[in-house]
Amino acid sequence: MVDLVIGAKACRPNPALLPLEFLIGNWATIGTHPAAPGVELPGRTSFAWTENGAFLIMHSETDHKDFPDGMAIFASDNALGVITMCWFDERGISRLCGVRASERAVQWHHDDPNFMQRLTITADPNGQRMTSKGKMAQNGGDWGDDLSQVFIRQ
């Protein structure tokens, strides 16, 4: 029996996702969250190309029971010129987030008026460390802090 790869010609680098290349790798994380004041949230995050670069996949976990493990797929729409992240976590929550990328920085946002989120990740010039800053707003209220992390390349 011969293994047949369906759609193999599409398993190639997606040029629209190349600005996210700085994320690729395994990262140890230390986070903070306003719901756990004074508590450090250690964890891990990985970013990897999948399907030979057609998509980017993220896996993340935190060693605190109140913060969910999750994963996301980054994809693009070349006609609209947009990147989208589709998030799913262990609670069964899924979200579509708009993504903007620039040199050594990425931002994503979830725009549900009941629970809005923004996150910006910025890499240092040598690519060995990144920092993220999260913000959230609920029910049309003011923006406040959300999960923020430091990423150390492993």
Side-chain angles (χ1 to χ4, degrees):
M1 187 162 151
V2 175
D3 283 338
L4 185 60
V5 178
I6 297 172
K9 292 178 194 172
C11 292
R12 62 187 200 89
N14 180 344
L17 299 180
L18 287 178
L20 303 176
E21 188 169 34
F22 73 94
L23 298 168
I24 300 297
N26 295 313
W27 303 86
T29 59
I30 297 289
T32 59
H33 194 282
V39 175
E40 286 192 343
L41 305 169
R44 288 146 302 286
T45 299
S46 69
F47 292 90
W49 296 120
T50 187
E51 304 304 322
N52 280 344
F55 302 99
L56 178 69
I57 189 164
M58 175 182 76
H59 293 95
S60 66
E61 61 186 22
T62 303
D63 296 337
H64 191 288
K65 65 180 180 61
D66 294 334
F67 294 88
D69 294 354
M71 62 180 68
I73 298 284
F74 293 78
S76 68
D77 182 317
N78 67 308
L80 296 177
V82 298
I83 298 173
T84 301
M85 178 185 82
C86 183
W87 166 264
F88 183 77
D89 67 36
E90 66 180 278
R91 303 167 295 179
I93 291 176
S94 61
R95 295 189 173 116
L96 287 176
C97 299
V99 176
R100 287 188 303 257
S102 59
E103 187 176 341
R104 293 192 311 264
V106 62
Q107 300 173 330
W108 57 77
H109 54 93
H110 180 248
D111 295 327
D112 174 357
N114 296 317
F115 188 69
M116 297 176 64
Q117 288 180 293
R118 297 178 186 161
L119 181 92
T120 301
I121 298 175
T122 305
D124 66 8
N126 69 13
Q128 298 304 303
R129 182 180 170 105
M130 301 188 300
T131 56
S132 73
K133 182 69 176 162
K135 294 287 195 179
M136 67 177 164
Q138 296 181 13
N139 302 315
D142 292 336
W143 286 92
D145 289 338
D146 197 358
L147 179 66
S148 294
Q149 295 177 298
V150 173
F151 298 73
I152 308 294
R153 188 178 294 281
Q154 300 295 288

